[in-house]
Amino acid sequence: MITNLLVANRGEIALRIFRTCRERGVGTVAVYSDADTHALHAEAADAAVRLPGDTPADTYLRVDSVVAAALAAGADAVHPGYGFLSESAEFARAVLDAGLTWIGPSPESIALMGSKVASKRVVAQAGVPVLAELDPDELTDDALPVLVKASAGGGGRGMRVVHRRADLAAAVTAARAEAASAFGDATVFCERYVERGRHIEVQVLADTHGTVWAVGERECSIQRRHQKVIEEAPSGVDEKLRRALFAAAESVCRAVDYVGAGTVEFLVTDDGEFFFLEMNTRLQVEHPVTECVTGLDLVAWQLRIAEGEALPPEPPEARGHAIEARLYAEDPRADWRPGSGTLHRFAVRDVRAEFTVPDRHGIRLDSGVGDGTTVGVHYDPMLAKVIAWGPDRRATARMLAGALEAARLHGLVTNRDLLVAVLRHPAFLAGDTHTDFLDRHAAEVLDAGASEDTVRLSVLAAALADAAHNRARARVLASLPAGWRNVPSAPHTKSYRHGGVEHVVRYTATRSGFVPEDRADVTVESATPERVLLTVGGVRRAFDVCRYPDLVTVDSPQGFVGLTPVPRFGDPAAELAEGSLTAPMPGAVARVAVAVGDEVRAGQPLLWLEAMKMEHRVAAPVDGVVTELAVAPGTQVEQGAVLAVVTPKASPEPTDTTDPADTAKEPA
């Protein structure tokens, strides 16, 4: 019997596992890095052990440190969660060698399926279709496009799509560097890239008594950078294909003597062909959708199987539909750039259950953050998984979109607007979910968000709330409207920046209240520091306003708007030299491709920053010459730090092509 479990992970997955442990009467142990000292998972466990350092390599990826932590805390079992060491055969062996129970498959199964190259060979021998492995050095033009993939790990890291042979070498180099950083293994390979495939995966459970369950399948085709952002269960495949996928997944499990929870992933074409992609020998990020439609607690079954319990003969049938959206601190409009900083406010409306299946249709929330959480640069930028469970697919998508739209997310740019746009997109609702969905519908979903009129009204609401806030703090004449004078005066003005655009609002303070100068169709019903009521074209609308350092947030049923107040007088010291390239986020310089004096073209990569487990390219903004390089590989930089300066090429002087003879003919 397991009595005290260490979770070798962090964030929401650690909290998810703790939830099941509490229900089963199992003690919990957390491990935490210095960056996670005040993280929710470190405070939620019965005991917590510090792993000195900040980076994954120094903390959550240290086999010796994590095993020592388990022994020091008196744990008798270890659950790896997902990511980090969850698919490390070395870690599994070390746990077992220490006399602890390992919650997962055998080290041999992990090692075999952990290599995408080796696993394909085993799976092919079991009669399951696979995409052929291609040697990057022997590719011909006819084989393109191809996908360069890391042999170890997953999550979209170490993947590059190549359409031209000229780009292959750079893609392989970049994939190797990213794979080595994320997984400690730089091995990569190529396979045919199926541009309009669907990513379907089968959840499996296998016990030590020979029973293998194909619990159900999930549709995971809405992806960015080859990483899933929306998953659902069941998928839209027909029953014949579903049964074929289940049979293939069970064959894979039996071929490697699999035990525990896992996922067999397939690429499915429009004509019904399918190919084995990989097997994840762990719990998946998207496991909640399977739990919602089956009623199972997959973590509980992981523990029960580790204790030797047998599965029933057949898994439960699916009921209803579930969709999960991964909420990330990232900006889809800026090439999915991750963000870091303080999450001032985090609240999702009408949550019926956290980390478990709701008692009836509704919203489930699995999150590792809360109000005031600091999101750092060392780990994945996922904030939460918001899951809706409903009677059918369309109703579930509508429910999830509404919950995301109404969520209070203050302090960091997120992908919330994109998720809502996808969930409401006609193609998504029609079941047209291919892996190229975001590429094909980029114009409609990447620019989703509050309308221009909503932004203008939100700016007005922010200015009026700020005026009310200033008046509330006044020591005298606090009952008068802010800025009110007994004689006519010029309108008050305030400026805010939104999406790179500066918005100026003008209003007059009178005895009867505030009067907008530029909106004759708007009447100010009331204005407090936190809430502004405006009547727009005869319709009253409410705007909730919050103020933080250098940020004002406005939430309304029309959409969320985050604003940066513009000071009346700028700071001359903040001006940067023309051509300066600044760090878009905190991180470490992974590679530098240029030197001072090099001529560069607009869009040419100059260097790569490593942050949140991914490499981010910094490119030249114009044709020019590198006149300053402020960093080297390994340099740690803060957001806004100058990385390099590219001096634009001077425009050529206009050439006088006038013929002197022609000039002489001009009349005097």
Side-chain angles (χ1 to χ4, degrees):
M1 295 292 292
I2 296 169
T3 62
N4 199 23
L5 178 76
L6 179 138
V7 178
N9 220 290
R10 64 181 299 276
E12 56 87 17
I13 186 55
L15 292 167
R16 161 70 188 92
I17 296 166
F18 293 163
R19 167 68 186 251
T20 291
C21 287
R22 286 195 300 271
E23 292 180 347
R24 292 180 61 81
V26 175
T28 55
V29 180
V31 287
Y32 64 92
S33 66
D34 290 339
D36 278 340
T37 298
H38 301 294
L40 296 182
H41 80 275
E43 298 176 349
D46 298 328
V49 181
R50 174 180 172 243
L51 302 176
D54 291 318
T55 67
D58 291 335
T59 56
Y60 299 106
L61 290 173
R62 284 282 300 271
V63 171
D64 56 345
S65 297
V66 176
V67 172
L71 295 174
D76 55 15
V78 173
H79 193 302
Y82 51 70
F84 295 132
L85 294 170
S86 63
E87 293 180 279
S88 167
E90 177 194 358
F91 182 48
R93 288 192 188 98
V95 169
L96 294 170
D97 290 344
L100 306 173
T101 298
W102 168 249
I103 310 301
S106 69
E108 293 74 23
S109 294
I110 295 174
L112 188 56
M113 303 311 286
S115 167
K116 293 183 177 66
V117 175
S119 64
K120 282 191 171 188
R121 294 169 185 160
V122 172
V123 167
Q125 290 173 1
V128 177
V130 300
L131 287 169
E133 177 189 345
L134 305 174
D135 186 337
D137 297 327
E138 299 179 2
L139 282 181
T140 63
D141 290 336
D142 294 339
L144 298 173
V146 296
L147 184 64
V148 181
K149 298 178 70 172
S151 179
R157 299 176 185 91
M159 283 191 183
R160 298 290 189 279
V161 178
V162 178
H163 292 272
R164 303 186 310 154
R165 274 186 54 81
D167 300 329
L168 182 62
V172 169
T173 298
R176 282 175 176 157
E178 196 167 86
S181 173
F183 316 121
D185 184 347
T187 306
V188 300
F189 66 98
C190 295
E191 66 184 20
R192 176 167 65 93
Y193 179 56
V194 180
E195 299 197 57
R196 279 189 53 79
R198 295 175 64 185
H199 190 137
I200 308 292
E201 61 187 29
V202 178
Q203 174 70 57
V204 295
L205 278 173
D207 62 22
T208 57
H209 306 276
T211 299
V212 177
W213 275 3
V215 180
E217 90 286 358
R218 296 183 287 256
E219 170 82 61
C220 306
S221 299
I222 308 299
Q223 304 178 2
R224 59 97 170 96
R225 287 184 168 179
H226 310 292
Q227 189 173 45
K228 308 158 191 172
V229 290
I230 293 178
E231 303 102 339
E232 55 184 307
S235 72
V237 301
D238 60 42
E239 191 60 26
K240 180 181 179 181
L241 180 55
R242 177 177 291 112
R243 292 300 169 193
L245 292 170
F246 285 5
E250 291 171 3
S251 295
V252 172
C253 289
R254 297 189 189 281
V256 296
D257 296 324
Y258 197 81
V259 172
T263 302
V264 185
E265 305 197 357
F266 298 96
L267 185 65
V268 178
T269 66
D270 283 341
D271 57 7
E273 279 190 292
F274 66 87
F275 303 95
F276 169 84
L277 287 177
E278 63 185 8
M279 183 176 191
N280 294 131
T281 54
R282 53 170 167 80
L283 201 65
Q284 290 281 83
V285 176
E286 57 273 19
H287 75 274
V289 295
T290 296
E291 292 187 324
C292 285
V293 298
T294 62
L296 294 171
D297 182 334
L298 293 176
V299 174
W301 269 111
Q302 285 185 294
L303 302 183
R304 293 164 75 174
I305 288 171
E307 292 177 334
E309 187 170 336
L311 290 164
E314 298 293 334
E317 294 292 329
R319 52 198 185 127
H321 202 92
I323 305 176
E324 171 182 294
R326 300 191 192 187
L327 192 61
Y328 282 96
E330 66 181 12
D331 187 351
R333 297 182 182 89
D335 195 26
W336 312 98
R337 185 175 67 209
S340 60
T342 301
L343 184 63
H344 299 295
R345 180 86 173 106
F346 179 82
V348 179
R349 188 183 69 179
D350 299 332
V351 173
R352 190 169 296 282
E354 294 188 56
F355 304 111
T356 192
V357 179
D359 57 355
R360 56 191 173 91
H361 291 157
I363 297 296
R364 166 178 171 170
L365 177 67
D366 285 23
S367 172
V369 300
D371 293 355
T373 294
T374 298
V375 177
V377 300
H378 300 294
Y379 314 115
D380 190 275
M382 188 173 73
L383 303 176
K385 303 178 308 196
V386 185
I387 307 103
W389 174 40
D392 57 63
R393 187 172 185 270
R394 186 172 287 266
T396 303
R398 183 185 300 119
M399 184 196 312
L400 182 54
L404 288 167
E405 189 173 52
R408 296 296 195 249
L409 308 172
H410 299 168
L412 295 172
V413 175
T414 73
N415 64 336
R416 181 250 303 272
D417 290 340
L418 174 131
L419 295 172
V420 172
V422 171
L423 291 165
R424 291 175 173 166
H425 197 283
F428 177 85
L429 294 174
D432 181 11
T433 51
H434 292 75
T435 53
D436 64 345
F437 184 95
L438 293 182
D439 293 330
R440 287 188 292 118
H441 301 290
E444 302 105 299
V445 299
L446 286 179
D447 292 329
S451 67
E452 185 58 33
D453 190 57
T454 295
V455 172
R456 289 195 295 268
L457 291 172
S458 297
V459 169
L460 174 60
L464 299 181
D466 187 53
H469 174 69
N470 293 336
R471 175 47 45 191
R473 295 190 304 169
R475 295 185 177 181
V476 295
L477 303 177
S479 62
L480 293 178
W484 181 81
R485 291 177 175 82
N486 199 30
V487 295
S489 62
H492 298 278
T493 64
K494 290 185 181 294
S495 298
Y496 300 88
R497 190 172 297 279
H498 173 76
V501 177
E502 186 171 333
H503 296 265
V504 179
V505 62
R506 298 175 176 83
Y507 62 90
T508 302
T510 69
R511 284 184 177 274
S512 57
F514 296 110
V515 178
E517 286 291 310
D518 304 321
R519 294 294 298 261
D521 62 328
V522 175
T523 302
V524 181
E525 299 291 341
S526 64
T528 71
E530 293 80 29
R531 190 173 176 86
V532 174
L533 292 179
L534 303 176
T535 294
V536 185
V539 180
R540 190 169 71 180
R541 304 189 184 280
F543 298 82
D544 294 319
V545 183
C546 291
R547 281 169 297 281
Y548 306 100
D550 301 320
L551 174 69
V552 177
T553 63
V554 183
D555 288 284
S556 73
Q558 289 73 51
F560 168 79
V561 177
L563 303 169
T564 303
V566 178
R568 292 181 62 188
F569 305 103
D571 181 5
E575 296 296 327
L576 295 173
E578 182 183 7
S580 294
L581 291 173
T582 58
M585 70 206 78
V589 177
R591 292 180 286 144
V592 177
V594 294
V596 172
D598 286 356
E599 290 193 7
V600 295
R601 304 181 309 277
Q604 178 180 334
L606 305 185
L607 55 90
W608 287 262
L609 279 181
E610 184 179 308
M612 296 181 173
K613 298 185 179 181
M614 300 287 282
E615 282 193 351
H616 308 275
R617 187 180 68 172
V618 178
V622 294
D623 293 349
V625 177
V626 179
T627 53
E628 183 179 339
L629 193 59
V631 295
T635 303
Q636 293 283 337
V637 296
E638 295 298 322
Q639 183 172 350
V642 175
L643 305 173
V645 177
V646 176
T647 300
K649 282 186 175 180
S651 300
E653 294 292 331
T655 302
D656 186 358
T657 58
T658 306
D659 187 336
D662 292 338
T663 304
K665 297 175 184 177
E666 291 293 323

CSV table of all heavy atoms in Angstrom, one decimal, residues 611-634:
chain,number,residue,atom,x,y,z
A,611,ALA,N,14.0,30.7,-23.5
A,611,ALA,CA,13.1,31.0,-22.3
A,611,ALA,C,12.0,30.1,-22.4
A,611,ALA,O,11.4,29.8,-23.4
A,611,ALA,CB,12.7,32.5,-22.4
A,612,MET,N,11.5,29.6,-21.2
A,612,MET,CA,10.4,28.8,-21.1
A,612,MET,C,10.5,27.5,-22.0
A,612,MET,O,9.5,27.2,-22.7
A,612,MET,CB,9.1,29.6,-21.3
A,612,MET,CG,8.9,30.7,-20.3
A,612,MET,SD,7.4,31.6,-20.6
A,612,MET,CE,7.3,32.6,-19.1
A,613,LYS,N,11.7,26.9,-22.0
A,613,LYS,CA,11.9,25.7,-22.7
A,613,LYS,C,11.9,25.8,-24.2
A,613,LYS,O,11.9,24.8,-24.9
A,613,LYS,CB,10.9,24.6,-22.2
A,613,LYS,CG,10.9,24.3,-20.8
A,613,LYS,CD,9.9,23.1,-20.5
A,613,LYS,CE,9.9,22.7,-19.0
A,613,LYS,NZ,9.0,21.6,-18.8
A,614,MET,N,11.9,27.0,-24.7
A,614,MET,CA,11.8,27.1,-26.2
A,614,MET,C,12.9,28.1,-26.6
A,614,MET,O,13.3,29.0,-25.8
A,614,MET,CB,10.5,27.6,-26.7
A,614,MET,CG,9.3,26.7,-26.3
A,614,MET,SD,9.3,25.2,-27.3
A,614,MET,CE,8.6,25.8,-28.9
A,615,GLU,N,13.3,28.0,-27.9
A,615,GLU,CA,14.2,29.0,-28.4
A,615,GLU,C,13.4,30.1,-29.2
A,615,GLU,O,12.5,29.7,-29.9
A,615,GLU,CB,15.2,28.4,-29.4
A,615,GLU,CG,16.4,27.7,-28.6
A,615,GLU,CD,17.5,27.4,-29.6
A,615,GLU,OE1,17.4,27.5,-30.8
A,615,GLU,OE2,18.6,27.0,-29.1
A,616,HIS,N,13.8,31.3,-29.0
A,616,HIS,CA,13.0,32.4,-29.7
A,616,HIS,C,14.0,33.2,-30.5
A,616,HIS,O,15.0,33.8,-30.0
A,616,HIS,CB,12.3,33.3,-28.6
A,616,HIS,CG,11.5,32.5,-27.7
A,616,HIS,ND1,10.2,32.1,-28.0
A,616,HIS,CD2,11.8,31.9,-26.5
A,616,HIS,CE1,9.7,31.4,-27.0
A,616,HIS,NE2,10.6,31.3,-26.1
A,617,ARG,N,13.7,33.4,-31.8
A,617,ARG,CA,14.6,34.0,-32.7
A,617,ARG,C,14.5,35.5,-32.6
A,617,ARG,O,13.4,36.1,-32.5
A,617,ARG,CB,14.2,33.6,-34.2
A,617,ARG,CG,15.2,34.1,-35.2
A,617,ARG,CD,14.8,33.6,-36.6
A,617,ARG,NE,13.5,34.2,-37.0
A,617,ARG,CZ,13.0,34.1,-38.2
A,617,ARG,NH1,13.6,33.3,-39.1
A,617,ARG,NH2,11.9,34.7,-38.6
A,618,VAL,N,15.6,36.2,-32.6
A,618,VAL,CA,15.7,37.7,-32.7
A,618,VAL,C,16.3,38.0,-34.0
A,618,VAL,O,17.4,37.7,-34.3
A,618,VAL,CB,16.5,38.3,-31.5
A,618,VAL,CG1,16.6,39.8,-31.7
A,618,VAL,CG2,15.9,37.9,-30.2
A,619,ALA,N,15.5,38.7,-34.9
A,619,ALA,CA,15.9,39.0,-36.3
A,619,ALA,C,16.2,40.5,-36.5
A,619,ALA,O,15.7,41.3,-35.8
A,619,ALA,CB,14.8,38.5,-37.2
A,620,ALA,N,16.9,40.7,-37.6
A,620,ALA,CA,17.2,42.1,-38.0
A,620,ALA,C,15.9,42.8,-38.5
A,620,ALA,O,15.2,42.2,-39.3
A,620,ALA,CB,18.3,42.1,-39.1
A,621,PRO,N,15.7,44.0,-38.0
A,621,PRO,CA,14.4,44.7,-38.4
A,621,PRO,C,14.6,45.3,-39.8
A,621,PRO,O,13.6,45.6,-40.4
A,621,PRO,CB,14.3,45.8,-37.3
A,621,PRO,CG,15.7,46.1,-36.8
A,621,PRO,CD,16.4,44.8,-37.0
A,622,VAL,N,15.8,45.6,-40.2
A,622,VAL,CA,16.0,46.3,-41.5
A,622,VAL,C,17.3,45.8,-42.1
A,622,VAL,O,18.1,45.1,-41.4
A,622,VAL,CB,16.1,47.8,-41.3
A,622,VAL,CG1,14.8,48.4,-40.9
A,622,VAL,CG2,17.3,48.2,-40.4
A,623,ASP,N,17.5,46.0,-43.4
A,623,ASP,CA,18.9,45.8,-44.0
A,623,ASP,C,19.8,46.8,-43.3
A,623,ASP,O,19.5,48.0,-43.2
A,623,ASP,CB,18.8,46.1,-45.5
A,623,ASP,CG,18.0,45.0,-46.2
A,623,ASP,OD1,17.6,44.0,-45.6
A,623,ASP,OD2,17.7,45.3,-47.4
A,624,GLY,N,21.0,46.3,-43.0
A,624,GLY,CA,22.0,47.2,-42.4
A,624,GLY,C,23.2,46.5,-41.9
A,624,GLY,O,23.5,45.4,-42.4
A,625,VAL,N,23.9,47.1,-41.0
A,625,VAL,CA,25.2,46.6,-40.5
A,625,VAL,C,25.1,46.5,-38.9
A,625,VAL,O,24.5,47.4,-38.3
A,625,VAL,CB,26.4,47.5,-40.8
A,625,VAL,CG1,27.7,47.0,-40.2
A,625,VAL,CG2,26.5,47.6,-42.3
A,626,VAL,N,25.6,45.4,-38.4
A,626,VAL,CA,25.6,45.2,-37.0
A,626,VAL,C,26.7,46.1,-36.4
A,626,VAL,O,27.9,45.8,-36.6
A,626,VAL,CB,25.9,43.7,-36.6
A,626,VAL,CG1,25.9,43.5,-35.1
A,626,VAL,CG2,24.8,42.8,-37.2
A,627,THR,N,26.3,47.1,-35.7
A,627,THR,CA,27.3,48.1,-35.2
A,627,THR,C,27.5,47.9,-33.7
A,627,THR,O,28.5,48.5,-33.1
A,627,THR,CB,26.8,49.5,-35.4
A,627,THR,OG1,25.5,49.7,-34.9
A,627,THR,CG2,26.9,49.8,-36.9
A,628,GLU,N,26.7,47.1,-33.0
A,628,GLU,CA,26.9,46.8,-31.6
A,628,GLU,C,26.3,45.4,-31.3
A,628,GLU,O,25.2,45.1,-31.8
A,628,GLU,CB,26.3,47.9,-30.7
A,628,GLU,CG,26.5,47.7,-29.2
A,628,GLU,CD,25.9,48.7,-28.4
A,628,GLU,OE1,25.6,49.8,-28.9
A,628,GLU,OE2,25.6,48.5,-27.2
A,629,LEU,N,27.0,44.6,-30.5
A,629,LEU,CA,26.6,43.3,-30.1
A,629,LEU,C,26.8,43.3,-28.6
A,629,LEU,O,28.0,43.2,-28.1
A,629,LEU,CB,27.3,42.2,-30.8
A,629,LEU,CG,26.7,40.8,-30.7
A,629,LEU,CD1,25.3,40.7,-31.2
A,629,LEU,CD2,27.6,39.8,-31.4
A,630,ALA,N,25.8,43.3,-27.8
A,630,ALA,CA,25.9,43.5,-26.3
A,630,ALA,C,25.9,42.2,-25.6
A,630,ALA,O,26.0,42.2,-24.3
A,630,ALA,CB,24.8,44.4,-25.8
A,631,VAL,N,25.7,41.0,-26.2
A,631,VAL,CA,25.6,39.8,-25.5
A,631,VAL,C,26.4,38.7,-26.2
A,631,VAL,O,26.9,38.9,-27.3
A,631,VAL,CB,24.1,39.3,-25.5
A,631,VAL,CG1,23.3,40.3,-24.7
A,631,VAL,CG2,23.6,39.2,-26.9
A,632,ALA,N,26.6,37.6,-25.5
A,632,ALA,CA,27.3,36.4,-26.0
A,632,ALA,C,26.5,35.2,-25.6
A,632,ALA,O,25.7,35.3,-24.7
A,632,ALA,CB,28.7,36.4,-25.5
A,633,PRO,N,26.8,34.0,-26.1
A,633,PRO,CA,26.1,32.8,-25.7
A,633,PRO,C,26.2,32.6,-24.2
A,633,PRO,O,27.3,32.7,-23.6
A,633,PRO,CB,26.7,31.7,-26.5
A,633,PRO,CG,27.2,32.4,-27.7
A,633,PRO,CD,27.6,33.7,-27.3
A,634,GLY,N,25.1,32.3,-23.5
A,634,GLY,CA,25.1,32.1,-22.1
A,634,GLY,C,24.7,33.4,-21.3
A,634,GLY,O,24.4,33.3,-20.1
